[in-house]
Amino acid sequence: KNEVEQSPQNLTAQEGEFITINCSYSVGISALHWLQQHPGGGIVSLFMLSSGKKKHGRLIATINIQEKHSSLHITASHPRDSAVYICARETSGSRLTFGEGTQLTVNP
Amino acid sequence: GAVVSQHPSWVICKSGTSVKIECRSLDFQATTMFWYRQFPKQSLMLMATSNEGSKATYEQGVEKDKFLINHASLTLSTLTVTSAHPEDSSFYICSARDPRNYGYTFGSGTRLTVV
């Protein structure tokens, strides 16, 4: 069992739809990260969370420490949001353990 | 924001040769950099943690004599894949933590193909 599990693995949406990607982890964390990986491989850090909720533009990330669960939401999705979204847990020593990613495709 | 520059973006090399990948933090000092590998359709895996001025810390199962890491300055870490084999073909990416906000910044990655 992966230490970080994401669902769904693949997600196809129509432009404008509200999207949710889920992440569960099995052990304690110092922080939870959401990353975006584009087709060329480049990775952008979206959020770093240790509690509560963060919002940046159309992206919202939440975390429930007790339930060891985090969600990434995209409001009013757009084709340019198409990418792989990766959840990663951070433990001591700044080590990241990654989920397998969610491939999001937003169709116009 | 913080920028990490990684070169080359892609490289093709012959079996048995060595390949060096560079990772530079452009606008901040990085005492620690991280090297990851990603095989197709798989998640990123941490290979090693590069520490400026000291030896790198390798993850279990990663051969330190094969993947040489040097972090000689606060802005440069290098990963050398020695005696490369086709099974080393992968996407290698580095990251560093911006001390100003503790966020991770990633290099653009290097796609290595060993023929």
Side-chain angles (χ1 to χ4, degrees):
Chain A
K1 183 175 163 66
N2 197 354
E3 295 175 5
V4 179
E5 296 217 338
Q6 284 185 237
S7 63
Q9 284 188 319
N10 294 283
L11 181 56
T12 300
Q14 287 300 121
E15 184 172 355
E17 286 184 2
F18 180 83
I19 287 161
T20 296
I21 299 170
N22 295 300
C23 176
S24 296
Y25 51 93
S26 54
V27 296
I29 60 169
S30 51
L32 192 287
H33 297 259
W34 281 100
L35 311 170
Q36 181 191 52
Q37 186 170 29
H38 287 279
I43 295 174
V44 174
S45 177
L46 299 175
F47 294 104
M48 179 173 67
L49 291 163
S50 54
S51 65
K53 176 180 175 179
K54 286 189 176 179
K55 185 176 189 292
H56 185 247
R58 294 181 295 105
L59 302 179
I60 303 166
T62 63
I63 189 167
N64 184 316
I65 297 293
Q66 287 73 30
E67 295 186 2
K68 296 186 174 59
H69 181 270
S70 177
S71 293
L72 176 69
H73 305 286
I74 305 176
T75 62
S77 59
H78 191 275
R80 64 175 175 265
D81 297 326
S82 298
V84 176
Y85 292 84
I86 302 170
C87 166
R89 70 171 180 91
E90 178 186 342
T91 52
S92 60
S94 298
R95 295 177 68 253
L96 293 181
T97 303
F98 301 86
E100 295 195 359
T102 295
Q103 173 69 63
L104 172 65
T105 304
V106 181
N107 294 317
Chain B
V3 177
V4 171
S5 175
Q6 184 172 344
H7 294 280
S9 55
W10 60 271
V11 58
I12 301 172
C13 71
K14 290 186 177 179
S15 243
T17 61
S18 295
V19 172
K20 181 186 281 189
I21 302 169
E22 290 190 351
C23 201
R24 291 180 188 271
S25 56
L26 297 187
D27 55 350
F28 65 101
Q29 294 183 334
T31 55
T32 302
M33 287 191 180
F34 304 91
W35 288 96
Y36 309 92
R37 180 168 54 184
Q38 185 179 36
F39 292 106
K41 304 294 183 184
Q42 295 188 21
S43 61
L44 289 152
M45 294 290 291
L46 177 65
M47 297 175 67
T49 302
S50 165
N51 303 297
E52 188 268 335
S54 66
K55 290 182 179 180
T57 304
Y58 290 82
E59 295 298 303
Q60 194 172 7
V62 178
E63 299 174 58
K64 61 182 179 182
D65 294 330
K66 180 168 183 61
F67 298 99
L68 300 179
I69 289 174
N70 185 283
H71 194 153
S73 79
L74 286 170
T75 59
L76 174 64
S77 177
T78 62
L79 168 68
T80 301
V81 183
T82 63
S83 187
H85 288 278
E87 56 264 31
D88 298 322
S89 299
S90 186
F91 185 69
Y92 294 86
I93 191 165
C94 64
S95 78
R97 192 149 217 187
D98 186 347
R100 294 165 292 192
N101 58 24
Y102 300 106
Y104 285 87
T105 299
F106 290 81
S108 54
T110 298
R111 195 161 302 280
L112 170 64
T113 302
V114 184
V115 297

